PDB file of all heavy atoms in Angstrom:
ATOM      1  N   PHE J 129      16.154   9.687 -26.584  1.00 86.00           N
ATOM      2  CA  PHE J 129      17.071  10.142 -25.540  1.00 86.00           C
ATOM      3  C   PHE J 129      17.530   8.972 -24.666  1.00 86.00           C
ATOM      4  O   PHE J 129      18.709   8.839 -24.340  1.00 86.00           O
ATOM      5  CB  PHE J 129      16.387  11.211 -24.688  1.00 86.00           C
ATOM      6  CG  PHE J 129      17.244  11.773 -23.599  1.00 86.00           C
ATOM      7  CD1 PHE J 129      18.383  12.510 -23.890  1.00 86.00           C
ATOM      8  CD2 PHE J 129      16.918  11.570 -22.261  1.00 86.00           C
ATOM      9  CE1 PHE J 129      19.180  13.025 -22.885  1.00 86.00           C
ATOM     10  CE2 PHE J 129      17.700  12.081 -21.249  1.00 86.00           C
ATOM     11  CZ  PHE J 129      18.839  12.810 -21.564  1.00 86.00           C
ATOM     12  N   HIS J 130      16.586   8.096 -24.300  1.00 84.00           N
ATOM     13  CA  HIS J 130      16.932   6.967 -23.449  1.00 84.00           C
ATOM     14  C   HIS J 130      17.789   5.949 -24.188  1.00 84.00           C
ATOM     15  O   HIS J 130      18.656   5.312 -23.574  1.00 84.00           O
ATOM     16  CB  HIS J 130      15.659   6.315 -22.905  1.00 84.00           C
ATOM     17  CG  HIS J 130      15.001   7.124 -21.841  1.00 84.00           C
ATOM     18  ND1 HIS J 130      13.969   6.667 -21.051  1.00 84.00           N
ATOM     19  CD2 HIS J 130      15.236   8.399 -21.413  1.00 84.00           C
ATOM     20  CE1 HIS J 130      13.609   7.597 -20.199  1.00 84.00           C
ATOM     21  NE2 HIS J 130      14.356   8.664 -20.411  1.00 84.00           N
ATOM     22  N   LYS J 131      17.582   5.789 -25.477  1.00 85.00           N
ATOM     23  CA  LYS J 131      18.455   4.919 -26.264  1.00 85.00           C
ATOM     24  C   LYS J 131      19.889   5.433 -26.208  1.00 85.00           C
ATOM     25  O   LYS J 131      20.842   4.654 -26.119  1.00 85.00           O
ATOM     26  CB  LYS J 131      17.986   4.860 -27.721  1.00 85.00           C
ATOM     27  CG  LYS J 131      16.737   4.044 -27.959  1.00 85.00           C
ATOM     28  CD  LYS J 131      16.344   4.082 -29.424  1.00 85.00           C
ATOM     29  CE  LYS J 131      15.069   3.308 -29.678  1.00 85.00           C
ATOM     30  NZ  LYS J 131      14.665   3.361 -31.110  1.00 85.00           N
ATOM     31  N   LYS J 132      20.008   6.742 -26.237  1.00 83.00           N
ATOM     32  CA  LYS J 132      21.334   7.359 -26.207  1.00 83.00           C
ATOM     33  C   LYS J 132      21.998   7.186 -24.848  1.00 83.00           C
ATOM     34  O   LYS J 132      23.150   6.745 -24.761  1.00 83.00           O
ATOM     35  CB  LYS J 132      21.207   8.844 -26.559  1.00 83.00           C
ATOM     36  CG  LYS J 132      22.520   9.600 -26.536  1.00 83.00           C
ATOM     37  CD  LYS J 132      22.283  11.062 -26.886  1.00 83.00           C
ATOM     38  CE  LYS J 132      23.582  11.853 -26.807  1.00 83.00           C
ATOM     39  NZ  LYS J 132      23.378  13.296 -27.121  1.00 83.00           N
ATOM     40  N   ILE J 133      21.287   7.510 -23.782  1.00 75.00           N
ATOM     41  CA  ILE J 133      21.920   7.478 -22.463  1.00 75.00           C
ATOM     42  C   ILE J 133      22.117   6.047 -21.971  1.00 75.00           C
ATOM     43  O   ILE J 133      23.031   5.775 -21.186  1.00 75.00           O
ATOM     44  CB  ILE J 133      21.135   8.308 -21.414  1.00 75.00           C
ATOM     45  CG1 ILE J 133      19.731   7.748 -21.193  1.00 75.00           C
ATOM     46  CG2 ILE J 133      21.088   9.761 -21.805  1.00 75.00           C
ATOM     47  CD1 ILE J 133      18.985   8.442 -20.056  1.00 75.00           C
ATOM     48  N   PHE J 134      21.245   5.113 -22.413  1.00 76.00           N
ATOM     49  CA  PHE J 134      21.401   3.718 -22.018  1.00 76.00           C
ATOM     50  C   PHE J 134      22.239   2.931 -23.020  1.00 76.00           C
ATOM     51  O   PHE J 134      22.518   1.751 -22.796  1.00 76.00           O
ATOM     52  CB  PHE J 134      20.037   3.047 -21.864  1.00 76.00           C
ATOM     53  CG  PHE J 134      19.199   3.580 -20.730  1.00 76.00           C
ATOM     54  CD1 PHE J 134      17.822   3.561 -20.804  1.00 76.00           C
ATOM     55  CD2 PHE J 134      19.795   4.108 -19.591  1.00 76.00           C
ATOM     56  CE1 PHE J 134      17.042   4.045 -19.763  1.00 76.00           C
ATOM     57  CE2 PHE J 134      19.031   4.599 -18.547  1.00 76.00           C
ATOM     58  CZ  PHE J 134      17.646   4.569 -18.635  1.00 76.00           C
ATOM     59  N   ASP J 135      22.604   3.567 -24.132  1.00 80.00           N
ATOM     60  CA  ASP J 135      23.421   2.929 -25.169  1.00 80.00           C
ATOM     61  C   ASP J 135      22.803   1.602 -25.619  1.00 80.00           C
ATOM     62  O   ASP J 135      23.436   0.545 -25.591  1.00 80.00           O
ATOM     63  CB  ASP J 135      24.849   2.700 -24.666  1.00 80.00           C
ATOM     64  CG  ASP J 135      25.799   2.310 -25.800  1.00 80.00           C
ATOM     65  OD1 ASP J 135      25.500   2.657 -26.956  1.00 80.00           O
ATOM     66  OD2 ASP J 135      26.825   1.668 -25.512  1.00 80.00           O
ATOM     67  N   ILE J 136      21.550   1.683 -26.055  1.00 81.00           N
ATOM     68  CA  ILE J 136      20.822   0.498 -26.497  1.00 81.00           C
ATOM     69  C   ILE J 136      19.922   0.884 -27.670  1.00 81.00           C
ATOM     70  O   ILE J 136      19.378   1.991 -27.703  1.00 81.00           O
ATOM     71  CB  ILE J 136      19.986  -0.095 -25.339  1.00 81.00           C
ATOM     72  CG1 ILE J 136      19.385  -1.439 -25.743  1.00 81.00           C
ATOM     73  CG2 ILE J 136      18.916   0.874 -24.875  1.00 81.00           C
ATOM     74  CD1 ILE J 136      18.746  -2.177 -24.582  1.00 81.00           C
ATOM     75  N   GLU J 137      19.797  -0.011 -28.628  1.00 83.00           N
ATOM     76  CA  GLU J 137      18.988   0.278 -29.815  1.00 83.00           C
ATOM     77  C   GLU J 137      17.525  -0.087 -29.633  1.00 83.00           C
ATOM     78  O   GLU J 137      16.639   0.575 -30.154  1.00 83.00           O
ATOM     79  CB  GLU J 137      19.558  -0.474 -31.025  1.00 83.00           C
ATOM     80  CG  GLU J 137      20.820   0.141 -31.598  1.00 83.00           C
ATOM     81  CD  GLU J 137      20.603   1.560 -32.096  1.00 83.00           C
ATOM     82  OE1 GLU J 137      19.550   1.828 -32.710  1.00 83.00           O
ATOM     83  OE2 GLU J 137      21.466   2.413 -31.844  1.00 83.00           O
ATOM     84  N   ASP J 138      17.265  -1.165 -28.906  1.00 84.00           N
ATOM     85  CA  ASP J 138      15.891  -1.656 -28.749  1.00 84.00           C
ATOM     86  C   ASP J 138      15.491  -1.583 -27.272  1.00 84.00           C
ATOM     87  O   ASP J 138      15.899  -2.410 -26.459  1.00 84.00           O
ATOM     88  CB  ASP J 138      15.801  -3.096 -29.263  1.00 84.00           C
ATOM     89  CG  ASP J 138      14.359  -3.608 -29.280  1.00 84.00           C
ATOM     90  OD1 ASP J 138      13.453  -2.860 -28.850  1.00 84.00           O
ATOM     91  OD2 ASP J 138      14.156  -4.759 -29.728  1.00 84.00           O
ATOM     92  N   LEU J 139      14.667  -0.589 -26.930  1.00 85.00           N
ATOM     93  CA  LEU J 139      14.260  -0.405 -25.540  1.00 85.00           C
ATOM     94  C   LEU J 139      13.394  -1.547 -25.034  1.00 85.00           C
ATOM     95  O   LEU J 139      13.292  -1.764 -23.827  1.00 85.00           O
ATOM     96  CB  LEU J 139      13.518   0.923 -25.384  1.00 85.00           C
ATOM     97  CG  LEU J 139      14.357   2.191 -25.580  1.00 85.00           C
ATOM     98  CD1 LEU J 139      13.465   3.426 -25.557  1.00 85.00           C
ATOM     99  CD2 LEU J 139      15.443   2.302 -24.520  1.00 85.00           C
ATOM    100  N   SER J 140      12.764  -2.270 -25.943  1.00 83.00           N
ATOM    101  CA  SER J 140      11.913  -3.388 -25.530  1.00 83.00           C
ATOM    102  C   SER J 140      12.722  -4.508 -24.889  1.00 83.00           C
ATOM    103  O   SER J 140      12.175  -5.388 -24.221  1.00 83.00           O
ATOM    104  CB  SER J 140      11.126  -3.940 -26.724  1.00 83.00           C
ATOM    105  OG  SER J 140      11.999  -4.545 -27.661  1.00 83.00           O
ATOM    106  N   GLU J 141      14.027  -4.494 -25.084  1.00 83.00           N
ATOM    107  CA  GLU J 141      14.890  -5.514 -24.484  1.00 83.00           C
ATOM    108  C   GLU J 141      15.170  -5.247 -23.005  1.00 83.00           C
ATOM    109  O   GLU J 141      15.636  -6.134 -22.287  1.00 83.00           O
ATOM    110  CB  GLU J 141      16.221  -5.581 -25.237  1.00 83.00           C
ATOM    111  CG  GLU J 141      16.097  -6.026 -26.690  1.00 83.00           C
ATOM    112  CD  GLU J 141      17.437  -6.018 -27.395  1.00 83.00           C
ATOM    113  OE1 GLU J 141      18.444  -5.641 -26.745  1.00 83.00           O
ATOM    114  OE2 GLU J 141      17.476  -6.391 -28.576  1.00 83.00           O
ATOM    115  N   LEU J 142      14.903  -4.039 -22.540  1.00 83.00           N
ATOM    116  CA  LEU J 142      15.193  -3.689 -21.157  1.00 83.00           C
ATOM    117  C   LEU J 142      14.231  -4.360 -20.190  1.00 83.00           C
ATOM    118  O   LEU J 142      13.049  -4.538 -20.487  1.00 83.00           O
ATOM    119  CB  LEU J 142      15.127  -2.175 -20.963  1.00 83.00           C
ATOM    120  CG  LEU J 142      16.199  -1.336 -21.659  1.00 83.00           C
ATOM    121  CD1 LEU J 142      15.948   0.139 -21.414  1.00 83.00           C
ATOM    122  CD2 LEU J 142      17.584  -1.723 -21.167  1.00 83.00           C
ATOM    123  N   THR J 143      14.731  -4.700 -19.021  1.00 86.00           N
ATOM    124  CA  THR J 143      13.928  -5.298 -17.964  1.00 86.00           C
ATOM    125  C   THR J 143      14.087  -4.489 -16.682  1.00 86.00           C
ATOM    126  O   THR J 143      14.955  -3.617 -16.580  1.00 86.00           O
ATOM    127  CB  THR J 143      14.374  -6.745 -17.693  1.00 86.00           C
ATOM    128  OG1 THR J 143      15.714  -6.717 -17.165  1.00 86.00           O
ATOM    129  CG2 THR J 143      14.332  -7.575 -18.966  1.00 86.00           C
ATOM    130  N   GLU J 144      13.263  -4.815 -15.709  1.00 88.00           N
ATOM    131  CA  GLU J 144      13.401  -4.159 -14.408  1.00 88.00           C
ATOM    132  C   GLU J 144      14.800  -4.396 -13.845  1.00 88.00           C
ATOM    133  O   GLU J 144      15.405  -3.492 -13.263  1.00 88.00           O
ATOM    134  CB  GLU J 144      12.360  -4.680 -13.422  1.00 88.00           C
ATOM    135  CG  GLU J 144      12.503  -4.071 -12.045  1.00 88.00           C
ATOM    136  CD  GLU J 144      11.637  -4.723 -10.983  1.00 88.00           C
ATOM    137  OE1 GLU J 144      10.938  -5.705 -11.294  1.00 88.00           O
ATOM    138  OE2 GLU J 144      11.683  -4.247  -9.826  1.00 88.00           O
ATOM    139  N   LYS J 145      15.320  -5.596 -14.020  1.00 88.00           N
ATOM    140  CA  LYS J 145      16.653  -5.934 -13.514  1.00 88.00           C
ATOM    141  C   LYS J 145      17.721  -5.032 -14.140  1.00 88.00           C
ATOM    142  O   LYS J 145      18.643  -4.577 -13.472  1.00 88.00           O
ATOM    143  CB  LYS J 145      16.965  -7.398 -13.810  1.00 88.00           C
ATOM    144  CG  LYS J 145      18.220  -7.939 -13.127  1.00 88.00           C
ATOM    145  CD  LYS J 145      18.314  -9.452 -13.336  1.00 88.00           C
ATOM    146  CE  LYS J 145      19.483 -10.054 -12.564  1.00 88.00           C
ATOM    147  NZ  LYS J 145      20.784  -9.681 -13.126  1.00 88.00           N
ATOM    148  N   ASP J 146      17.571  -4.743 -15.447  1.00 85.00           N
ATOM    149  CA  ASP J 146      18.510  -3.846 -16.117  1.00 85.00           C
ATOM    150  C   ASP J 146      18.472  -2.459 -15.492  1.00 85.00           C
ATOM    151  O   ASP J 146      19.518  -1.856 -15.214  1.00 85.00           O
ATOM    152  CB  ASP J 146      18.164  -3.728 -17.606  1.00 85.00           C
ATOM    153  CG  ASP J 146      18.419  -5.021 -18.366  1.00 85.00           C
ATOM    154  OD1 ASP J 146      19.362  -5.728 -18.013  1.00 85.00           O
ATOM    155  OD2 ASP J 146      17.668  -5.291 -19.316  1.00 85.00           O
ATOM    156  N   ILE J 147      17.256  -1.949 -15.291  1.00 84.00           N
ATOM    157  CA  ILE J 147      17.097  -0.608 -14.728  1.00 84.00           C
ATOM    158  C   ILE J 147      17.698  -0.548 -13.327  1.00 84.00           C
ATOM    159  O   ILE J 147      18.326   0.440 -12.942  1.00 84.00           O
ATOM    160  CB  ILE J 147      15.603  -0.215 -14.679  1.00 84.00           C
ATOM    161  CG1 ILE J 147      14.990  -0.216 -16.084  1.00 84.00           C
ATOM    162  CG2 ILE J 147      15.425   1.154 -14.030  1.00 84.00           C
ATOM    163  CD1 ILE J 147      15.590   0.783 -17.033  1.00 84.00           C
ATOM    164  N   LEU J 148      17.519  -1.615 -12.568  1.00 85.00           N
ATOM    165  CA  LEU J 148      17.981  -1.634 -11.184  1.00 85.00           C
ATOM    166  C   LEU J 148      19.492  -1.809 -11.082  1.00 85.00           C
ATOM    167  O   LEU J 148      20.146  -1.174 -10.250  1.00 85.00           O
ATOM    168  CB  LEU J 148      17.281  -2.762 -10.422  1.00 85.00           C
ATOM    169  CG  LEU J 148      17.558  -2.856  -8.912  1.00 85.00           C
ATOM    170  CD1 LEU J 148      17.125  -1.570  -8.213  1.00 85.00           C
ATOM    171  CD2 LEU J 148      16.847  -4.056  -8.319  1.00 85.00           C
TER     172      LEU J 148
END
Side-chain angles (χ1 to χ4, degrees):
F129 181 65
H130 286 190
K131 286 179 182 179
K132 179 180 177 181
I133 62 174
F134 294 150
D135 192 24
I136 188 171
E137 284 299 319
D138 187 357
L139 292 173
S140 67
E141 296 178 359
L142 293 177
T143 66
E144 178 189 3
K145 190 172 185 289
D146 291 326
I147 300 297
L148 185 60

